[in-house]
Amino acid sequence: MNRHFGARRALGIAVASALAVAVTGCGGGDDAGRSGDAAEGAPSPGITDTSVTLGITTPLSGSTAGPGTCTVAGVTAYFGMKNAEGGVEFGDGKTRTVEIEALDDGYDPQQAKANYDQLKDDVFAMTAGLGTPTNRAWRDAAIADEVPQALIMTGDPLFSDTEESPWQLGFVPVYQNEGEAFGELLAASGEDHKVAILSQNDDYGAGYVEGFKSAVEDADNIEIVDELTYEATDTSVDAQITELAASNADVIFNAMSLVPLVVSALQKAQQLNWKPSWFLPSNTSSPGAVLEPGGGAAFPGIYSVSFAKAPASPAFAQDEDVVAYLAALKQYGDYPDPPAFPHCQWSWMVGATLEQAFQNMEEPTRDSFMEALRSIEGFQAPLMLPDTAVDTTQDGQPAVSSVVVQKYNGRGYDTVEAFE
Amino acid sequence: MASAPSNRASTSSSSLSSLRQRPWVRWAAPLLLVVVLAVLPLVMSEFVNETLARIGVFAVAVLGLNVVMGYAGQVSLGQIFFLGVGAYVTAYGVTNEWNIVLVFVLACLVPAVAGLVVALAAARLGGLAIAMVTIALPIVGVPLAKRLSEYTGGSQGLSARFAEAPEGSGLFDDQWQLYIVLVIGGTVFLLTRFLVRGKYGRAFAIVKGNENVASSMGISPYRYKVLAFTIASLIGGVSGFLYMVVIQYTSPETMSFGHSIELLAAMVIGGAASIVGSLLGGAFYVLVPQLTNQVDASLTTLLQGVILLVVLFVLPGGLASLPRALTRGRRRSGAERGAAASTTSPSSTLGSGTSAEEPETERQGHA
Amino acid sequence: MGKFVQLVVDGLSTGSVYAALALAIVLVHQATGLINFAQGGMAVLSAYVVWSLTEQGVPLIVAILLAIVFSIVLGAVVERWLMRRFERGDPDTAVVVTIGLLTLITGFAGWLWTYNNQQFPSLFSLDTVSFLGVSVSQRSIGTTVVIVVAMVLLQLLFVGTKLGLALRAVAINPQSAAFSGLPVGRLLMVGWGLAAALGAVAAVLVAPQLTLTPGMLDNALVYALAAVILGGLTSPIGVVLAAWMIGILENLAAVYVPFIGFDLKVAVPFILIFVVLLVRPQGLFGRKNVVRV
């Protein structure tokens, strides 16, 4: 028995290696740009005189595939539209088409890093990926390899700190900003309020709560009476709502990123006859998907923060930006249904912001790109609400740092200045 | 009496076996292997090296699972938990700048101790309890990792860049990492191979086959189950260390329950109770997502399901059974299923529940 | 006190979600001796069939009935053409085949209907019923009632009918059953078909609350498995009671045991199982295994 072993094991390992080499060798690039090998001034990979390729690693399967698919659809639609018009004019004078290569990471950080490894030698820059752990997994590698990780969909403040993350930039507002915006509104209302908090037990929820608390900590009229969390894998938050209802708070600060749980929370509160004013984050406040099934009209006020126009809102039905966006999404973005998540709109804005950077970059290099990316100021991307703009020049802030607080009016949202 | 574990079935004709008996052939093959592995990282591209390193990480994880599940027959759906613990211990130690050897030792010992404690409690209760406790490990582990955020970095995870190639070696980072994986992983594979080919392996097989027979032979099922589980956890910890070497980041998602299921699938697809099978299982775990991504990034789940089912349909014994299946296919017609059933019937005869789903049986003793 | 009772009632409602899936798992196990990891996936597929039909304008009840027929066929086909090959072999391989099936179904549903959350029409209204200071929705009551009816029917099937006896015989000893003249193959298909139908009913009941996505029942599956093992692999009543117990104790532990809190409340079912299995290795209501060497 033992005498067969060595030969058989060698065969097995040789087969496995051959398989591995054959399969992965096809996808692997050449040795240019190997870790610790980036040369200055040399043309970066992923860009030629006629085209530039962007890479995305994002969840396209699993529980976060809904928003994940949107993060690809928006930017693909935007550049699909631009390519059809002839391409984007770059700062170095050449007009190029923009290609997108997207890979699925299933919200697994290890897979995200593998996707990055696979893409980094073929693409000019990485962009638009969803998720904090998945983006964090290859952040260090991107810094070491000097690959841009530009305009990603996470509110984690680490990505916008220029010193810590020189090759990164977040797109969406940091979670703290959104929480703070509502906290300031509430504190400025002058009346006494009792606040109950229900947040998701991860950096997302914690960020919102941190921002909210920092805005209300000096306000005498605001008292936080109860604070609970829930897990993203929970099937129901009934128990939490029951306990919070017992606190008789008149405002609930709800940092929840899962649509079904928000709907069921709204429904449960009504069942218990507890009708506080309700705060929801920007990604789970859609009138069609959340407030109507949840019965939002029963509450004295549903507040949210936003920087993007909601395409489903009747107020924007004739808005030309919205019309163009919806058409492009269907035609170029491979997304035939109405956008189910705001990430579709955000990804469209990422496309527009990238176009700005492309128009300003003077050389076809990643260095030049990052410089151009970090110098965009006061840019009103299509679909942005008035009073919000893209500003990438502020250290410590992502591309979008301004949000407005809005209140549900039964069909859509109105921007409000004060808490009513 | 129970037939020997199927991967030892002799298949060669007499002339081939006499060739293999020659001493120089016996030594040449492993030596050639060592040379190939030593040279491989230097000639392959960065991406291939990184992929091979990842395969190594999960091959070690699957190997651990094989020890407790393939060889000893105990259901474990928590192997990823030990990988996660090993990774977190490594990340914590590196972030606090402890000596790297100490970190490695801790990454082996802490999960092993955890596994020992779990096994001591659960092994007495039979297959069902072990299955449930192992399911509990990753499911409770994820919120626990989030709660202990001072040590684990919470839901944002921990980054730890420590596997950079040393200055004077002239190696690139990916080559250095692959060497680490090859050396450590290779050692673990070798040690495990000696383990399962020795008296412990035989004891595991008997415990897997029929626990009552085992205890009547003086082999304590309890002791060997605990041993198997502890070894599996230790190996899981090693794979966690290697995970940090290659990925350099860990978060609660590292030990999610879904990955445990994927490891189980990888083990069966590679070939249960097989050393080579563990390697193939690791390759399956890493390569299939990459392959499906290349075909169509939005259809990865669908394609993965298809591949899994096709492989199992064609090779119910896993990829490692391919040589056997080929020779058997030549000699016997359509009896693959019959052979698979007869060689694996010891495990489906009820001991005291080798897996959670076993039916009660009143079959007359026919081990 | 009101809060306590409300938590118990809410826990009962959550537990019913787990119980629904657990019943289907028990049925498959009784019929074929396997744990079907794809049970939830098959149930979700049937729910998608209902949803597609209602989107075309078919009335809800008709759609549900059609989907039940679909699920019976699906279950039978899966058993005959996929699982049959693996049923006599290594049980680990069979489990991994069901895992592969789950992956395939999830991917298929994601491809056909996307991963977006779809609104699912509800059989029961959401109106609240208040009693004893506790408020509960009609939907929760309806779900629980249907589960209880299914549980009773299943128990009767296993214990009181020839079909149930035949199913159990086939699972325990297929060869003897064949020798006794039972049509083993057809019975296996019936077992899987019935389980799939049960799963379809479960999915239809819970989809309005959870919203319809391909992975809708993935989280519930673990709890369902816990309920199955806690209640005993052979007893429908046992698993439903176990599932309710898990739902209720989880809520109570989260609120009244601050150390556990809402994030670690998932540990409660497993602690429970561990304690119970220490005392009764066959689960609360299971039958003891008899092994002859």
Side-chain angles (χ1 to χ4, degrees):
Chain A
M1 294 184 291
N2 282 329
R3 63 177 177 264
H4 295 308
F5 179 72
R8 180 163 294 142
R9 193 171 103 123
L11 175 66
I13 294 179
V15 166
S17 307
L19 249 156
V21 166
V23 172
T24 66
C26 304
D30 53 289
D31 276 3
R34 205 146 182 171
S35 314
D37 204 24
E40 296 264 357
S44 302
I47 187 166
T48 66
D49 283 346
T50 51
S51 81
V52 67
T53 310
L54 299 174
I56 307 181
T57 167
T58 197
L60 296 174
S61 65
S63 55
T64 42
T69 310
C70 260
T71 59
V72 173
V75 66
T76 311
Y78 187 85
F79 285 118
M81 185 180 77
K82 288 289 161 182
N83 289 347
E85 291 168 11
V88 173
E89 211 185 299
F90 277 61
D92 64 350
K94 304 217 170 54
T95 304
R96 299 179 170 91
T97 56
V98 181
E99 311 299 325
I100 310 271
E101 246 193 85
L103 292 180
D104 174 23
D105 60 31
Y107 212 79
D108 180 11
Q110 179 261 129
Q111 188 63 41
K113 175 141 196 303
N115 290 346
Y116 163 75
D117 287 336
Q118 192 170 348
L119 289 171
K120 71 180 177 195
D121 291 327
D122 294 332
V123 304
F124 180 67
M126 302 285 294
T127 185
L130 177 72
T132 303
T134 39
N135 274 304
R136 281 214 180 199
W138 51 278
R139 178 182 146 271
D140 279 327
I143 296 175
D145 297 336
E146 298 188 1
V147 175
Q149 187 173 7
L151 305 179
I152 46 174
M153 301 290 187
T154 164
D156 183 355
L158 179 66
F159 291 95
S160 307
D161 183 333
T162 345
E163 216 184 293
E164 296 272 343
S165 310
W167 288 89
Q168 281 76 15
L169 185 62
F171 183 72
V172 291
V174 299
Y175 308 126
Q176 285 80 349
N177 275 10
E178 297 205 359
E180 214 178 314
F182 181 68
E184 279 169 6
L185 190 87
L186 196 59
S189 74
E191 294 151 15
D192 286 346
H193 294 289
K194 290 203 207 156
V195 181
I197 298 182
L198 178 60
S199 64
Q200 191 159 295
N201 185 25
D202 59 9
D203 64 302
Y204 170 93
Y208 270 89
V209 173
E210 192 191 317
F212 177 75
K213 282 185 176 171
S214 75
V216 300
E217 64 186 340
D218 292 326
D220 294 324
N221 55 336
I222 310 292
E223 187 196 341
I224 298 178
V225 290
D226 204 355
E227 193 180 336
L228 295 176
T229 61
Y230 71 93
E231 299 299 303
T233 48
D234 283 349
T235 48
S236 137
V237 288
D238 285 354
Q240 284 92 330
I241 296 288
T242 303
E243 191 175 328
L244 290 176
S247 73
N248 283 316
D250 62 316
V251 177
I252 172 171
F253 182 82
N254 190 359
M256 224 176 222
S257 73
L258 301 168
V259 166
L261 287 181
V262 177
V263 172
S264 94
L266 290 168
Q267 289 169 347
K268 185 68 186 171
Q270 284 171 67
Q271 277 172 31
L272 297 173
N273 217 19
W274 177 49
K275 302 206 179 130
S277 293
W278 208 289
F279 168 79
L280 289 171
S282 52
N283 53 344
T284 41
S285 52
S286 144
V290 175
L291 298 184
E292 267 154 49
F299 296 89
I302 307 237
Y303 294 84
S304 184
V305 288
S306 189
F307 60 93
K309 295 176 182 166
S313 188
F316 299 119
Q318 305 302 326
D319 184 300
E320 56 174 68
D321 278 345
V322 171
V323 170
Y325 157 69
L326 289 175
L329 207 57
K330 268 201 189 55
Q331 189 175 4
Y332 303 107
D334 196 18
Y335 200 93
D337 303 318
F341 297 93
H343 303 72
C344 279
Q345 286 86 276
W346 300 346
S347 177
W348 177 266
M349 293 182 209
V350 164
T353 312
L354 285 172
E355 189 189 10
Q356 289 292 110
F358 288 152
Q359 284 169 350
N360 293 335
M361 68 186 238
E362 283 158 25
E363 280 164 55
T365 64
R366 288 166 169 166
D367 284 290
S368 180
F369 169 74
M370 283 309 290
E371 244 184 82
L373 185 68
R374 275 253 173 215
S375 52
I376 302 174
E377 216 177 324
F379 170 55
Q380 261 247 317
L383 298 184
M384 281 192 100
L385 290 171
D387 293 333
T388 63
V390 169
D391 181 352
T392 60
T393 59
Q394 292 189 42
D395 187 7
Q397 290 292 342
V400 179
S401 48
S402 48
V403 290
V404 296
V405 181
Q406 302 196 302
K407 186 175 174 186
Y408 183 55
N409 61 14
R411 281 171 314 141
Y413 279 96
D414 299 318
T415 305
V416 291
E417 303 288 321
F419 183 83
E420 292 132 28
Chain B
M1 205 44 204
S3 51
S6 32
N7 67 348
R8 289 189 210 168
S10 172
T11 57
S12 16
S13 60
S14 56
S15 61
L16 211 51
S17 55
S18 71
L19 179 69
R20 287 188 192 167
Q21 280 178 40
R22 304 246 184 98
W24 66 267
V25 176
R26 229 191 306 159
W27 286 110
L31 199 62
L32 183 64
L33 182 65
V34 171
V35 168
V36 165
L37 290 179
V39 169
L40 200 67
L42 298 172
V43 299
M44 298 272 88
S45 77
E46 183 181 7
F47 181 62
V48 172
N49 281 351
E50 281 163 350
T51 306
L52 289 176
R54 259 193 298 273
I55 291 179
V57 170
F58 289 102
V60 173
V62 172
L63 181 70
L65 186 60
N66 244 325
V67 168
V68 69
M69 207 161 161
Y71 288 103
Q74 306 305 306
V75 175
S76 172
L77 286 170
Q79 182 68 4
I80 197 77
F81 173 78
F82 300 109
L83 186 154
V85 171
Y88 268 115
V89 166
T90 311
Y92 185 74
V94 165
T95 317
N96 288 317
E97 291 180 11
W98 296 346
N99 180 309
I100 193 69
V101 175
L102 173 67
V103 171
F104 177 69
V105 167
L106 282 176
C108 298
L109 286 184
V110 172
V113 167
L116 179 65
V117 167
V118 165
L120 282 174
R124 241 179 239 296
L125 301 180
L128 222 51
I130 292 187
M132 271 332 283
V133 171
T134 57
I135 291 182
L137 288 171
I139 294 203
V140 178
V142 170
L144 202 60
K146 285 196 219 167
R147 192 186 264 208
L148 299 173
S149 50
E150 292 152 43
Y151 304 101
T152 63
S155 56
Q156 288 165 317
L158 274 181
S159 268
R161 269 190 100 69
F162 67 104
E164 266 122 27
E167 286 295 326
S169 64
L171 290 174
F172 290 111
D173 289 345
D174 56 285
Q175 295 168 331
W176 173 246
Q177 288 163 10
L178 182 54
Y179 276 128
I180 295 181
V181 170
L182 284 175
V183 167
I184 296 182
T187 313
V188 171
F189 263 82
L190 263 176
L191 291 175
T192 311
R193 178 219 168 209
F194 285 131
L195 180 84
V196 299
R197 299 244 160 192
K199 75 163 193 178
Y200 286 103
R202 286 194 287 278
F204 288 156
I206 297 176
V207 167
K208 172 181 180 180
N210 192 319
E211 286 187 28
N212 295 303
V213 168
S215 49
S216 67
M217 285 173 63
I219 296 174
S220 154
Y222 176 71
R223 252 188 81 209
Y224 282 93
K225 283 196 230 179
V226 170
L227 183 66
F229 204 78
T230 309
I231 293 176
S233 326
L234 193 151
I235 297 179
V238 172
S239 72
F241 177 83
L242 293 177
Y243 181 94
M244 280 310 288
V245 166
V246 176
I247 315 289
Q248 309 198 333
Y249 171 81
T250 183
S251 72
E253 281 78 20
T254 306
M255 55 162 108
S256 73
F257 181 61
H259 293 319
S260 242
I261 307 270
E262 286 161 25
L263 272 182
L264 171 63
M267 180 194 88
V268 169
I269 293 253
S274 156
I275 300 287
V276 173
S278 310
L279 195 58
L280 294 173
F284 184 85
Y285 188 99
V286 169
L287 293 177
V288 167
Q290 275 176 218
L291 184 67
T292 54
N293 248 332
Q294 297 283 71
V295 174
D296 188 336
S298 6
L299 293 181
T300 51
T301 313
L302 180 62
L303 293 170
Q304 282 169 25
V306 168
I307 293 177
L308 217 163
L309 289 177
V310 164
V311 170
L312 282 179
F313 237 86
V314 172
L315 291 170
L319 292 169
S321 69
L322 183 61
R324 247 178 306 138
L326 284 176
T327 46
R328 224 198 326 263
R330 256 184 276 138
R331 273 197 261 138
R332 293 144 84 175
S333 57
E336 229 180 291
R337 198 176 134 228
S342 66
T343 51
T344 54
S345 58
S347 64
S348 51
T349 312
L350 184 65
S352 63
T354 53
S355 48
E357 63 277 6
E358 289 230 327
E360 57 274 54
T361 172
E362 283 119 33
R363 227 171 281 189
Q364 295 292 342
H366 174 52
Chain C
M1 187 59 193
K3 184 165 85 170
F4 178 85
V5 180
Q6 183 70 52
L7 288 171
V8 169
V9 169
D10 291 338
L12 220 66
S13 170
T14 316
S16 295
V17 174
Y18 311 146
L21 201 53
L23 281 176
I25 294 178
V26 160
L27 182 49
V28 165
H29 186 267
Q30 278 289 78
T32 51
L34 292 173
I35 295 275
N36 181 12
F37 267 79
Q39 201 69 54
M42 288 163 65
V44 169
L45 191 62
S46 309
Y48 267 110
V49 168
V50 174
W51 182 76
S52 311
L53 290 174
T54 56
E55 290 281 293
Q56 303 293 329
V58 177
L60 182 59
I61 297 287
V62 174
I64 292 178
L65 289 173
L66 285 174
I68 290 181
V69 170
F70 166 80
S71 62
I72 293 177
V73 170
L74 175 70
V77 162
V78 163
E79 194 283 323
R80 174 69 183 88
W81 297 107
L82 181 64
M83 300 308 305
R84 184 75 59 93
R85 189 176 157 71
F86 300 98
E87 272 157 16
R88 307 283 182 81
D90 179 22
D92 293 340
T93 308
V95 165
V96 173
V97 171
T98 64
I99 292 173
L101 182 62
L102 173 64
T103 314
L104 180 67
I105 292 180
T106 307
F108 180 74
W111 173 53
L112 271 192
W113 294 291
T114 80
Y115 286 92
N116 300 336
N117 307 62
Q118 312 290 4
Q119 297 298 331
F120 195 90
S122 178
L123 265 179
F124 307 101
S125 83
L126 259 187
D127 294 338
T128 319
V129 170
S130 285
F131 61 94
L132 301 175
V134 164
S135 41
V136 64
S137 69
Q138 283 185 19
R139 186 198 283 167
S140 298
I141 297 179
T143 306
T144 312
V145 166
V146 172
I147 298 298
V148 170
V149 167
M151 167 189 86
V152 167
L153 286 178
L154 210 61
Q155 184 72 14
L156 284 176
L157 174 78
F158 282 163
V159 172
T161 65
K162 269 207 207 147
L163 176 62
L165 192 62
L167 285 173
R168 280 159 53 208
V170 161
I172 290 171
N173 198 328
Q175 278 168 330
S176 300
F179 290 149
S180 315
L182 292 176
V184 173
R186 249 182 285 153
L187 282 171
L188 291 174
M189 286 167 69
V190 165
W192 271 71
L194 279 181
L198 201 53
V201 169
V204 164
L205 287 173
V206 307
Q209 183 191 341
L210 299 178
T211 73
L212 189 58
T213 67
M216 179 177 86
L217 288 175
D218 286 349
N219 289 325
L221 183 68
V222 180
Y223 287 102
L225 284 176
V228 164
I229 291 176
L230 183 59
L233 279 160
T234 56
S235 166
I237 297 182
V239 305
V240 172
L241 287 177
W244 284 341
M245 220 177 0
I246 289 175
I248 294 171
L249 284 176
E250 243 197 346
N251 276 354
L252 293 180
V255 172
Y256 293 109
V257 184
F259 174 72
I260 292 184
F262 282 99
D263 55 332
L264 287 180
K265 72 175 161 88
V266 72
V268 167
F270 297 100
I271 298 174
L272 207 60
I273 287 176
F274 188 67
V275 165
V276 167
L277 287 181
L278 263 172
V279 175
R280 269 179 80 90
Q282 69 271 29
L284 284 174
F285 293 87
R287 253 175 291 120
K288 251 197 152 87
N289 290 347
V290 175
V291 176
R292 289 186 222 152
V293 180

